[in-house]
Amino acid sequence: MFSKRTRGSAVGGTGAALLATIGALVATAVPSAHAADTPLRTLAEAKGVYIGTALMDSELSGTSASIAGTQFDQVTPGNEMKWDTVEPTRGTYNWGPGDQIVNFAQANDMVVRGHNLVWHSQLPNWLTSGSFSDSELHDIMIKHVTDEVTHYKGKVIAWDVVNEPFNEDGTLRSDLWYNQLGQSYIADALTAAHAADPAAKLYINDYNIEGENAKSNAMYNLVKSLKQQGVPIDGVGFQAHFVLGQVPSDVQANLQRFADLGVDVAVTELDDRITLPATDADLQEQAADYTKVVNDCLGVSRCVGITVWGFNDATSWVPGTFSGQGAATPYDENYQPKPAYYAIQAALGGSGSTTPPTTPPTTPPGGGATCTVGYTANEWDTGFTADVTVSSASAVNGWTLALTYPGGTRTVTQAWNATVTQSGSTVTAKNLSYNAAVPAGGSASFGFNADWSGSDPKPTGATLNGTACTIG
Ligand code: XIL
């Protein structure tokens, strides 16, 4: 059901109906900046893979829901099927959050990867502080796996049965499960999941196993031995939480060696984090990283699909987990597609073209654009938030606004609706793709946060595309 040859029917429903649905959704729900582009899911389906995203219950309405349902054909619950949510009290199940994800998926013709059954993290207190005997803990694990897989039987195509079992050096992580049950907890969990839903594909999922290294070697040896023992293992999930510019060069070869063991492989939690603030060059490099990962999966016939761990920077887990890092996903904080989005699109066989294209600014006859800059700042002892609006008398398509400060030093830490950098006494903001075009008499707004030292005056000079503006 998950192989490339047969996946199309499992994911797509009837082709004509699906295309009509997609067409209707594109017409009504996708931001106009890329309405003309083919949705990622249509491209992925043509390649025999799925393209998915993690979603949380809080994202099942509004803009995030319409983008997710239009662009992606697979969903993984970000938290809603984890142990602490599902079984907060021993033997009492809370299916509501996970069910909402499943209902959303079904309404949007998406398949669901279940995530996850046995993990060291996000466990309820009753479990971690219960001081259970080994056999009692074993029974608790088997019951949880059995009950959850049974509840979602026929609704979840693949389960991350065991999540993150390894240390970086390839030894098994000393968590609740390994410490009390030993290595056999892995086979036992897989066997219980298989008994509960024989049709679901069963995965072991981990991070930092995308390239060949001690950890992926250990995973390889584990999967090989499980296969030899006849334990039901169908796939390996490669989380793929990458750092900008550090996608290993041997991902495809590594995926292939797992596939050669007779299991499916999937990129399950892709993101690519950037040290903030992200520059234009960073976003281009990130696009190249995304291209590489998509190509690596497409290059392996048993790579069944790619899931991004959140499709937008507004809800990504990265800034909350890795201090000073972010901008890791294909859509920005305003749900606008980034270069990484277009990179995925192109790698999946789409046009990859961005709209509007970057073209030189339009200057009126006989002179530059006349412009006014509105600037307000909220200052505190070490930093400030600036809100900036630039109005242009003539139409521009692509803008760079340079603000010059008469003193102090600033370090930009975050920006929205523009890419903002600083150099010496100048802070420079460049448009993003969706607000490149400003009509005659129109304006564009953006903001940024910065740390300051020395003094924190307001800017006294501004230029729009090199032409001086008045600061209002
Ligand atoms: C993360 C979620 O995205 C966060 O919302 C939560 O606070 C912590 O977990 N590897 C995994 C995922 O397998 O379950 C994690 O998800 C990210 C790392």
Side-chain angles (χ1 to χ4, degrees):
M1 163 175 177
F2 231 168
S3 80
K4 287 201 170 188
R5 274 181 299 280
T6 55
R7 238 197 106 258
S9 60
V11 173
T14 62
L18 178 69
L19 285 176
T21 310
I22 290 170
L25 285 167
V26 168
T28 56
V30 175
S32 58
H34 65 301
D37 297 334
T38 310
L40 301 182
R41 60 184 287 169
T42 310
L43 298 166
E45 284 163 24
K47 294 273 186 192
V49 295
Y50 61 76
I51 181 80
T53 181
L55 280 179
M56 296 174 287
D57 274 353
S58 54
E59 299 180 280
L60 300 180
S61 61
T63 306
S64 60
S66 60
I67 295 176
T70 306
Q71 294 286 333
F72 299 94
D73 60 6
Q74 181 270 322
V75 58
T76 304
N79 291 306
E80 291 73 3
M81 291 188 187
K82 292 174 180 174
W83 201 313
D84 58 352
T85 297
V86 166
E87 195 183 357
T89 306
R90 186 174 178 184
T92 303
Y93 293 102
N94 170 37
W95 304 118
D99 289 356
Q100 283 191 50
I101 300 279
V102 169
N103 292 342
F104 176 82
Q106 290 178 344
N108 289 282
D109 221 345
M110 306 162 92
V111 292
V112 179
R113 294 193 81 257
H115 175 82
N116 58 57
L117 298 171
V118 183
W119 189 24
H120 62 86
S121 185
Q122 293 182 269
L123 297 172
N125 282 339
W126 68 263
L127 182 55
T128 50
S129 53
S131 302
F132 299 109
S133 71
D134 297 352
S135 70
E136 206 175 357
L137 185 68
H138 176 267
D139 293 351
I140 286 169
M141 180 187 81
I142 299 297
K143 178 169 163 48
H144 178 85
V145 169
T146 303
D147 290 350
E148 183 160 359
V149 175
T150 300
H151 179 78
Y152 289 112
K153 184 175 179 179
K155 298 177 177 170
V156 162
I157 56 161
W159 278 104
D160 291 328
V161 176
V162 177
N163 197 35
E164 303 180 348
F166 286 109
N167 294 313
E168 297 305 292
D169 67 0
T171 55
L172 282 164
R173 184 190 289 271
S174 67
D175 59 10
L176 178 69
W177 311 110
Y178 179 68
N179 287 349
Q180 279 196 246
L181 307 180
Q183 178 167 345
S184 62
Y185 87 87
I186 296 174
D188 290 351
L190 288 162
T191 303
H194 184 67
D197 185 357
K201 300 291 181 185
L202 305 183
Y203 280 65
I204 306 177
N205 189 50
D206 215 326
Y207 61 93
N208 287 351
I209 58 165
E210 297 76 20
E212 292 193 28
N213 56 39
K215 192 173 184 178
S216 67
N217 288 343
M219 179 70 94
Y220 181 86
N221 291 330
L222 171 65
V223 171
K224 190 174 176 185
S225 119
L226 292 171
K227 289 288 282 184
Q228 279 166 355
Q229 295 165 59
V231 174
I233 172 76
D234 300 299
V236 175
F238 300 79
Q239 291 188 4
H241 293 294
F242 290 124
V243 172
L244 182 69
Q246 294 181 24
V247 176
S249 57
D250 59 352
V251 173
Q252 183 176 330
N254 189 47
L255 298 182
Q256 187 63 56
R257 74 170 170 150
F258 279 90
D260 291 343
L261 289 175
V263 291
D264 290 339
V265 294
V267 175
T268 52
E269 304 185 14
L270 176 61
D271 52 23
D272 192 37
R273 55 187 185 264
I274 297 175
T275 300
L276 298 173
T279 65
D280 268 347
D282 290 339
L283 297 180
Q284 295 303 330
E285 187 176 7
Q286 181 180 63
D289 284 353
Y290 272 88
T291 299
K292 185 172 172 350
V293 177
V294 174
N295 285 337
D296 288 339
C297 175
L298 293 179
V300 176
S301 63
R302 292 200 72 146
C303 185
V304 296
I306 299 159
T307 309
V308 293
W309 201 248
F311 70 89
N312 66 81
D313 293 340
T315 59
S316 164
W317 74 306
V318 168
T321 307
F322 304 95
S323 171
Q325 310 276 301
T329 79
Y331 282 76
D332 71 13
E333 297 193 348
N334 300 302
Y335 297 92
Q336 300 300 322
K338 292 159 57 182
Y341 168 85
Y342 296 105
I344 297 170
Q345 216 223 15
L348 291 173
S351 71
S353 75
T354 58
T355 41
T358 316
T359 50
T362 315
T363 44
T370 49
C371 51
T372 356
V373 172
Y375 184 100
T376 56
N378 273 328
E379 181 191 303
W380 60 96
D381 52 352
T382 57
F384 66 92
T385 298
D387 288 303
V388 185
T389 299
V390 54
S391 311
S392 178
S394 56
V396 295
N397 192 358
W399 48 267
T400 300
L401 181 74
L403 301 170
T404 317
Y405 293 78
T409 54
R410 284 146 296 277
T411 307
V412 176
T413 54
Q414 198 185 6
W416 47 98
N417 301 334
T419 303
V420 180
T421 54
Q422 89 279 329
S423 173
S425 58
T426 303
V427 167
T428 303
K430 287 184 194 300
N431 65 273
L432 301 179
S433 58
Y434 67 91
N435 63 4
V438 179
S443 65
S445 295
F446 65 94
F448 62 95
N449 286 337
D451 297 331
W452 64 269
S453 62
S455 60
D456 182 31
K458 289 192 173 177
T460 47
T463 60
L464 175 63
N465 295 337
T467 302
C469 309
T470 28
I471 302 186

